[in-house]
Amino acid sequence: MIAYENLLELNRPFTERFKQQFDDFLNSGWYILGESVKRFELQFAAWNNSAHCIGVANGLDALTMALKPYNFEPGSEVIVPSNTYIATILAILNNNLTPVLVEPDIRTYNIDPLLIEDAITPRTKAIMVVHLYGKCCAMDAIMRVKEKHNLLLIEDCAQAHGATFKGQKAGTFGEFGAFSFYPTKNLGALGDAGALTTNNPALETVVRQMRNYGSEKKYYNERIGINSRLDELQAAFLSTKLEALDAINNHKRQLAGLYLQHLNANFILPVVDDDYKDVYHIFNIRHPERDRLKVYLLEKGIGTEIHYPVPPHQQKALQPVLQNQSYPIAEEIHRTTLSLPCSYWHTPAQIKTVIDTLNRF
Ligand SMILES: *Cc1c(COP(=O)(O)O)cnc(C)c1O
């Protein structure tokens, strides 16, 4: 059996170090916002070429907090891709703002910059891009629209740790980069964790206070905040994993390279472009008989996933907000996409087995 993912295998190279870190953590007697959070924030900011990093509890909170400092009037509009994980849209709704969905480019699966301008109204305040599957959005064109219309830009980097566009890292283009360190992400903790990156010191201060009850100095509250602190133990684990993140990304890129080179023409493969360095959080293919293909692979002992089976505008939870909207490109992607094994622990030999099996379908 070649599993799609196995979190124990993924973390096996780090387990001795994790045990040591747990002992150090326990013995420190300091369990919230301690040295490990501080250290990880500095390390991640440096690794990402960002001026600041603020650790938070998870990716959804990072996205939600990124929209908070501006106090937009309720009903202000935020542009967001129609094919994303639901978290991006929930972050907008959690701020009483209106998500305006824009279709992706069918080649890249990322928001189509040519369609963003059509969606802008006098109420538009921000663009929330998602660097889906580990590929950056077309940032040249998006930055032009941002500047022309004076909009905020927030980047959902939950799938794009280390992805670059023209050499620039995801999470450094907009006002904020929002990261998730959910265990399956390219940089994954052993529980929930997330972070915001920013180059703006004023925004950094707002979020640093907001995640901790609006306070930086104990019992002095500067603003209405929430409790969304990065956990001290997860921060310690993340520092260990961060040291390996370039190796993790390189390994996934190597496995993706095998798929790209050897899969036959029956499958629609991810596009490769010199301006983009992709990190393949997800290696997806598309096929008109996706569901039959998934069953076939499972019968041959190969696990796959679907990211995602139902697009946000068709989710039951979002019917009150997005009912009767239709996004045919997002729907086509959701109907045909299949995610293949492509994890740090998979070997090139395993991937070759997957390729041979696929090519016989
Ligand atoms: C994982 C993910 C999130 C949410 O992250 P959590 O840490 O689970 O809250 C947001 N957006 C995208 C695109 C994701 O893949």
Side-chain angles (χ1 to χ4, degrees):
M1 179 75 199
I2 301 174
Y4 176 75
E5 183 55 286
N6 179 326
L7 292 175
L8 179 58
E9 287 306 318
L10 178 61
N11 287 294
R12 200 178 291 287
F14 312 104
T15 50
E16 286 313 307
R17 181 87 190 97
F18 288 161
K19 287 176 189 170
Q20 182 62 52
Q21 286 179 305
F22 177 76
D23 276 351
D24 294 347
F25 162 79
L26 182 64
N27 291 327
S28 78
W30 187 287
Y31 304 136
I32 298 284
L33 291 186
E35 288 306 314
S36 294
V37 169
K38 253 183 236 158
R39 187 179 321 117
F40 175 71
E41 288 177 338
L42 291 171
Q43 288 170 338
F44 192 70
W47 182 85
N48 205 54
N49 304 324
S50 294
H52 309 283
C53 167
I54 312 101
V56 302
N58 56 64
L60 174 59
D61 281 2
L63 288 162
T64 303
M65 281 194 272
L67 284 168
K68 276 223 187 315
Y70 310 96
N71 296 312
F72 295 131
E73 280 174 43
S76 299
E77 294 171 359
V78 180
I79 289 173
V80 65
S82 55
N83 71 316
T84 180
Y85 181 57
I86 197 169
T88 330
I89 292 167
L90 293 180
I92 298 168
L93 295 174
N94 286 346
N95 281 282
N96 294 316
L97 304 173
T98 302
V100 174
L101 276 57
V102 167
E103 286 269 64
D105 180 334
I106 189 72
R107 291 175 59 254
T108 64
Y109 313 131
N110 279 331
I111 194 164
D112 186 339
L114 296 174
L115 300 179
I116 294 177
E117 271 201 292
D118 298 340
I120 293 173
T121 76
R123 290 181 301 281
T124 309
K125 303 294 182 199
I127 309 172
M128 222 157 184
V129 297
V130 182
H131 307 299
L132 201 70
Y133 300 159
K135 178 193 286 299
C136 277
C137 295
M139 294 313 297
D140 273 358
I142 290 166
M143 294 306 283
R144 274 197 296 277
V145 179
K146 165 187 164 54
E147 272 143 38
K148 181 170 163 201
H149 296 273
N150 195 24
L151 301 173
L152 297 176
L153 175 66
I154 292 156
E155 303 171 63
D156 183 338
C157 303
Q159 303 190 1
H161 316 72
T164 64
F165 173 75
K166 295 193 173 168
Q168 187 176 340
K169 273 184 170 157
T172 63
F173 291 90
E175 272 66 28
F176 283 113
F179 288 84
S180 164
F181 306 121
Y182 185 84
T184 58
K185 309 292 187 186
N186 286 31
L187 178 57
L190 300 185
D192 276 308
L196 280 166
T197 55
T198 183
N199 290 328
N200 180 323
L203 291 177
E204 190 234 346
T205 302
V206 175
V207 174
R208 197 168 283 294
Q209 294 171 348
M210 195 163 27
R211 69 154 183 206
N212 186 33
Y213 294 105
S215 166
E216 272 188 275
K217 187 174 168 202
K218 203 171 186 184
Y219 304 133
Y220 290 81
N221 299 79
E222 302 292 328
R223 63 185 65 251
I224 306 272
I226 61 173
N227 178 351
S228 181
R229 299 176 289 233
L230 172 59
D231 184 75
E232 182 71 3
L233 184 57
Q234 297 304 332
F237 296 153
L238 285 167
S239 284
T240 291
K241 293 282 285 283
L242 181 58
E243 288 172 23
L245 182 51
D246 288 325
I248 292 170
N249 285 347
N250 285 336
H251 185 83
K252 286 166 76 77
R253 220 179 271 122
Q254 184 202 346
L255 301 182
L258 293 174
Y259 283 129
L260 290 166
Q261 198 184 337
H262 298 296
L263 280 177
N264 69 30
N266 293 334
F267 308 102
I268 301 174
L269 304 180
V271 289
V272 178
D273 184 315
D274 283 349
D275 283 341
Y276 299 77
K277 196 163 181 193
D278 304 334
V279 294
Y280 297 101
H281 168 59
I282 286 164
F283 186 92
N284 87 309
I285 57 173
R286 288 197 301 119
H287 191 279
E289 292 182 81
R290 188 267 318 275
D291 292 335
R292 198 166 69 80
L293 179 59
K294 183 171 175 43
V295 170
Y296 162 83
L297 288 170
L298 194 59
E299 282 167 355
K300 307 280 181 202
I302 295 166
T304 56
E305 290 285 341
I306 296 172
H307 298 95
Y308 298 90
V310 181
H313 68 281
Q314 294 180 335
Q315 293 287 354
K316 186 174 168 217
L318 296 182
Q319 287 321 293
V321 231
L322 301 175
Q323 65 185 341
N324 301 328
Q325 297 189 16
S326 124
Y327 299 97
I329 302 177
E331 288 163 24
E332 174 66 12
I333 295 167
H334 283 73
R335 188 163 43 234
T336 55
T337 192
L338 187 67
S339 309
L340 304 180
C342 190
S343 188
Y344 184 45
W345 59 274
H346 285 123
T347 63
Q350 288 176 311
I351 300 308
K352 289 201 177 105
T353 302
V354 179
I355 292 168
D356 291 342
T357 311
L358 275 163
N359 284 343
R360 284 198 299 269
F361 178 63

